[in-house]
Amino acid sequence: MAENRPALMGATGRTTRYWRLASLMGATVTMGLMAGLFGDWALTIMPGLHTTDDRTFVGAFQALEQAINNAPFMLAFMGALAFTAVAAVLHMRGDDRAPLPWVAAAFGLYLVAFVITVVVHVPLNDALVAAGDPDRITDLGAVRDAFDETRWANWHAVRTVATIAAFGCLLWALVLHGRAGIPQRGQRPW
């Protein structure tokens, strides 16, 4: 394992290592937030909504959709992709490349979840919101059927698993990053 540990670092090596760590931590935190959010929707929100009548389903889903469209959500949603990409780029050069395959895998997995969100979920969510006020919809059952709850839930399961797997990859990348920075016996950490 000693070959994976960097030699004594100068200021440039230390700075690069700190940027790698910062991007990896940003990626891990935002990916964890997204994994938790998607997991919550998969395990509680959608199963709970599934048991409701059409009016409750449409009204509650519209309210949830409007509430989730906020700056903190967008920061986590976009940040997970951006931080992971930056972490991958920063790990492409230098001696500390052990985390790179894990970061790249996390990026690929989350890219799958990101594309599913944009291609499947956003259009379905937007159509349900565009249906209007549930009190003014004459056929709530048709609106719910057009939403295609089963399609939404099945694709959501895929993006949830992909995001949880990406989070796991980033956690392991952090472990590898930390191991590479442990000084050898007799070596100073700075």
Side-chain angles (χ1 to χ4, degrees), residues 17-173:
R17 182 157 173 77
Y18 292 147
W19 280 113
R20 287 177 178 166
L21 178 60
S23 64
L24 201 48
M25 288 178 67
T28 305
V29 168
T30 54
M31 194 70 70
L33 287 169
M34 292 311 302
L37 178 82
F38 288 159
D40 183 39
W41 275 77
L43 299 173
T44 61
I45 294 172
M46 289 308 287
L49 287 176
H50 182 71
T51 64
T52 64
D53 61 80
D54 294 338
R55 190 201 182 294
T56 303
F57 180 89
V58 171
F61 198 97
Q62 287 177 341
L64 288 164
E65 178 63 16
Q66 289 170 344
I68 204 167
N69 285 317
N70 59 54
F73 168 77
M74 292 310 280
L75 181 64
F77 181 65
M78 302 296 283
L81 194 64
F83 278 123
T84 306
V86 169
V89 168
L90 291 175
H91 280 89
M92 285 181 176
R93 296 183 183 197
D95 296 336
D96 186 15
R97 293 179 60 131
L100 180 59
W102 296 95
V103 176
F107 181 80
L109 287 162
Y110 190 67
L111 185 60
V112 167
F114 191 91
V115 169
I116 289 170
T117 300
V118 172
V119 172
V120 177
H121 293 99
V122 169
L124 291 173
N125 297 356
D126 288 350
L128 189 66
V129 169
D133 184 348
D135 291 332
R136 297 184 182 179
I137 298 172
T138 56
D139 190 354
L140 287 163
V143 170
R144 186 174 183 172
D145 289 343
F147 174 73
D148 198 352
E149 197 176 335
T150 301
R151 179 174 185 241
W152 195 101
N154 288 341
W155 281 108
H156 183 70
V158 173
R159 75 175 172 173
T160 301
V161 169
T163 304
I164 291 169
F167 180 57
C169 289
L170 290 171
L171 289 171
W172 186 245

